[in-house]
Amino acid sequence: AMVGGLIVPPYVVMKFSVAFADTDLQQYAIACSLILSGIFTILNCIQFNIPGTKYVFGTGMLSVLGTSFGFLPIYENAISTMKSEGYSGKDAYGKMLGTTMVCAMLEVVLSFVPKDKLRRMFPNIVTGVAVMLIGAGLTATGIKYWGGGAVCAEMAWKNNAQVYGLVGKGGTWFGPDQTGVAPFPGSGGRSMCDGNGDVIKPFGSPEYIALGFSVVLMLILVELFGSPFMKNANVIIALLFGYFVAGVSRAEGNKFVPDTKIENAEPITFAWVENFPIGFYGPAVLPLLIAFLVTTVETIGDLTATYEASEEDTESEEFDKSVQGGLLSDGLCSFAAALATGMPNTTFSQNNGVIALTKCASRRAGVCCGLWLIALGVLSKISGIISSMPDCVVGGMTTFLFCNVFVSGLSVVSKADLNSRRNRIILAISMGVGLGVTAVPWIFGDQRASGGTTPFWPCTGPFREGADCSKGERGIRDGILILLTTPYSIGTLLAMFLHAILPTDMEVVGYGTDAGKA
């Protein structure tokens, strides 16, 4: 139930942000995510007492850890910004790992704060907004992959008839007068998608749309006719079906799934096979801190649901200990994951459905789950299979997965009192800005391949008056723009600010004792 969610964040970051053409790096990121998630799940399930204290590490229950979706948009935006400043993809990723190690200490500190205080600080109306905007921002990215790829989606303006001459329409690279912009990727004046095996077609081609839809179709069929077990494994079943359809399909004789990536994959691998120069990137600090705040509150909710599915008492001292140990585990494992070249981890909720289905809540099942994840990661041919999937197939799946995150946030918000004028104002303003930035990110940010040129705060280019930005100004600018262009960062900050300053409605006084309703 969790493998699909585990492989998507590292694969998306490594392929579409760090190194599009480096297949080995993409396969390593997938394998590393599986291995680290397996190790951390085992440690989390076992639970360890911290000597000389009343505190523990780990939940001591059937709860699994995996790579978090919440950090994906921050990694994408920050790495893109650093690359526009001249850093290599690997250097940019290394800086994000170092910054993550520092910011993960926030969740470690919060693990020692009573859960009721945390819920009062971050009620459902705030955390729900954050989770919904994570899903909304990522869904916009997923649909780009579905159409053929994120890069060609953002460069599809080159296919507009008004700029044919500028981008070389008619077989030349630079137009009739040898001026203008070279089309990339592709040739002949068209922006083409080249992340789908040997098939190179424009963004939104029907072949890409059909392959992505094959994944969605299988998801629907599993829901209609599948057994309870199949429904819990619907993500991996649909992904494999889409991969099979792509494997047997051809476009003008070209393969969507060439054999080379699988053949070139090493038989086995492990963490630290690849390495990245650890650094620090200040502009990403505030967005990462917000992400850790959100995952902290999410983890409390996930562990509560796990206790309820396991038919255990959520008012007991053991439950409080599990929450404290789970938050400490999340923070320290995110630190360790970055040290081992992986993205931050958080408690997954997929195990709750499996517990309810099987009536098995044994920690031994969690340990076995961890061992399976380690085995899947070590056998790097599996990573080779995943990395050979066409972008359009990955897009069909990620659009569903990412929107599922939005639906989870909707469920959280529904627990708040939506008849309250105060809550509706918080929701409308924070979601309005967050969704607006999702739809039109260049209202604040730079467009692709145009770093530093946004009119909102130009550092270079035609909208900059005077000399280009200094290094210090560029750093401050980049930090603010990452915050403004990451939907859930700006949306969550607005929700927190409004929650702090708006008075409680008369009609909802009394909800304060019920975790987060007001």
Side-chain angles (χ1 to χ4, degrees):
M2 65 183 291
V3 169
L6 277 180
I7 62 178
V8 169
Y11 178 61
V12 167
V13 166
M14 209 56 69
K15 181 170 183 178
F16 299 108
S17 297
V18 177
F20 183 82
D22 195 334
T23 304
D24 292 340
L25 209 55
Q26 296 159 23
Q27 293 174 357
Y28 168 75
I30 294 167
C32 186
S33 176
L34 291 168
I35 292 168
L36 295 178
S37 296
I39 293 172
F40 298 150
T41 292
I42 293 171
L43 295 176
N44 193 50
C45 290
I46 293 174
Q47 193 180 74
F48 302 90
N49 289 310
I50 300 176
T53 72
K54 62 179 181 180
Y55 300 111
V56 297
F57 171 90
T59 62
M61 55 195 292
L62 178 50
S63 58
V64 295
L65 266 67
T67 309
S68 173
F69 277 108
F71 296 88
L72 176 54
I74 299 172
Y75 268 66
E76 286 185 312
N77 286 351
I79 291 172
S80 174
T81 301
M82 282 187 272
K83 288 177 73 174
S84 72
E85 296 173 6
Y87 291 99
S88 70
K90 293 188 73 170
D91 286 343
Y93 186 72
K95 284 181 175 292
M96 287 304 295
L97 294 179
T99 312
T100 298
M101 283 190 268
V102 174
C103 295
M105 292 300 103
L106 174 64
E107 192 163 7
V108 173
V109 172
L110 291 175
S111 69
F112 301 107
V113 177
K115 67 179 189 306
D116 293 335
K117 287 186 178 180
L118 287 175
R119 281 181 165 170
R120 283 197 295 272
M121 291 165 58
F122 307 103
N124 290 325
I125 197 69
V126 173
T127 55
V129 163
V131 177
M132 281 197 293
L133 288 175
I134 290 172
L138 291 174
T139 301
T141 304
I143 206 74
K144 293 175 184 176
Y145 304 146
W146 190 341
V151 175
C152 61
E154 294 174 13
M155 302 300 280
W157 62 268
K158 294 185 176 183
N159 294 334
N160 192 302
Q162 297 180 67
V163 296
Y164 277 172
L166 294 176
V167 296
K169 184 70 177 178
T172 62
W173 279 102
F174 287 97
D177 57 356
Q178 300 299 305
T179 61
V181 186
F184 175 82
S187 61
R190 296 170 296 171
S191 177
M192 309 288 272
C193 301
D194 57 357
N196 299 274
D198 299 329
V199 178
I200 299 180
K201 288 186 172 293
F203 178 77
S205 293
E207 294 88 345
Y208 295 152
I209 303 300
L211 283 179
F213 185 72
S214 69
V215 178
V216 178
L217 177 63
M218 179 51 68
L219 285 169
I220 296 170
L221 291 175
V222 168
E223 287 302 310
L224 287 173
F225 307 111
S227 66
F229 176 80
M230 289 180 67
K231 290 178 181 178
N232 274 285
N234 61 348
V235 170
I236 197 68
I237 291 171
L239 195 59
L240 290 175
F241 177 75
Y243 183 68
F244 168 76
V245 173
V248 299
S249 301
R250 299 288 187 273
E252 299 169 359
N254 295 315
K255 294 181 178 180
F256 285 94
V257 184
D259 303 328
T260 51
K261 292 184 179 181
I262 303 173
E263 292 172 352
N264 295 337
E266 297 292 334
I268 60 172
T269 189
F270 203 73
W272 294 294
V273 170
E274 295 280 352
N275 56 73
F276 306 86
I278 296 295
F280 184 80
Y281 187 56
V285 169
L286 186 55
L288 282 174
L289 290 176
I290 294 173
F292 277 110
L293 284 174
V294 172
T295 57
T296 296
V297 181
E298 276 187 311
T299 295
I300 295 174
D302 289 339
L303 294 179
T304 302
T306 303
Y307 251 71
E308 290 172 348
S310 305
E311 299 180 3
E312 296 288 341
D313 184 9
T314 57
E315 301 298 326
S316 65
E317 187 177 328
E318 281 300 312
F319 173 67
D320 291 344
K321 185 183 290 187
S322 290
V323 169
Q324 177 271 309
L327 293 177
L328 183 60
S329 174
D330 270 16
L332 292 180
C333 287
S334 291
F335 177 91
L339 199 60
T341 70
M343 290 177 64
N345 279 244
T346 189
T347 301
F348 269 37
S349 59
Q350 284 91 335
N351 55 296
N352 297 330
V354 177
I355 292 172
L357 172 68
T358 63
K359 301 301 180 183
C360 173
S362 170
R363 290 183 295 177
R364 294 177 183 175
V367 172
C368 290
C369 169
L371 293 173
W372 273 109
L373 291 173
I374 294 170
L376 289 172
V378 169
L379 300 173
S380 53
K381 289 292 183 182
I382 294 174
S383 300
I385 292 171
I386 295 167
S387 66
S388 67
M389 289 183 183
D391 289 355
C392 54
V393 172
V394 174
M397 176 51 64
T398 53
T399 300
F400 164 75
L401 282 176
F402 294 159
C403 198
N404 235 359
V405 176
F406 179 90
V407 174
S408 297
L410 198 61
S411 175
V412 174
V413 165
S414 69
K415 297 174 184 175
D417 178 20
L418 296 182
N419 291 319
S420 159
R421 180 180 176 84
R422 173 182 185 273
N423 285 349
R424 288 163 69 95
I425 290 291
I426 293 173
L427 198 59
I429 293 176
S430 56
M431 288 297 294
V433 175
L435 291 174
V437 168
T438 299
V440 191
W442 51 88
I443 186 174
F444 299 122
D446 301 320
Q447 296 213 29
R448 181 173 287 276
S450 304
T453 61
T454 175
F456 177 75
W457 189 340
C459 263
T460 188
F463 303 110
R464 174 73 178 183
E465 297 180 3
D468 290 353
C469 289
S470 65
K471 189 174 182 180
E473 183 187 351
R474 183 67 183 252
I476 296 171
R477 169 201 182 269
D478 290 347
I480 292 174
L481 293 195
I482 289 173
L483 178 69
L484 293 176
T485 56
T486 304
Y488 85 87
S489 292
I490 181 61
T492 303
L493 272 184
L494 282 171
M496 291 170 62
F497 174 72
L498 293 170
H499 172 67
I501 67 169
L502 291 180
T504 304
D505 290 349
M506 290 299 293
E507 65 267 25
V508 297
V509 171
Y511 277 121
T513 56
D514 189 349
K517 271 214 169 183

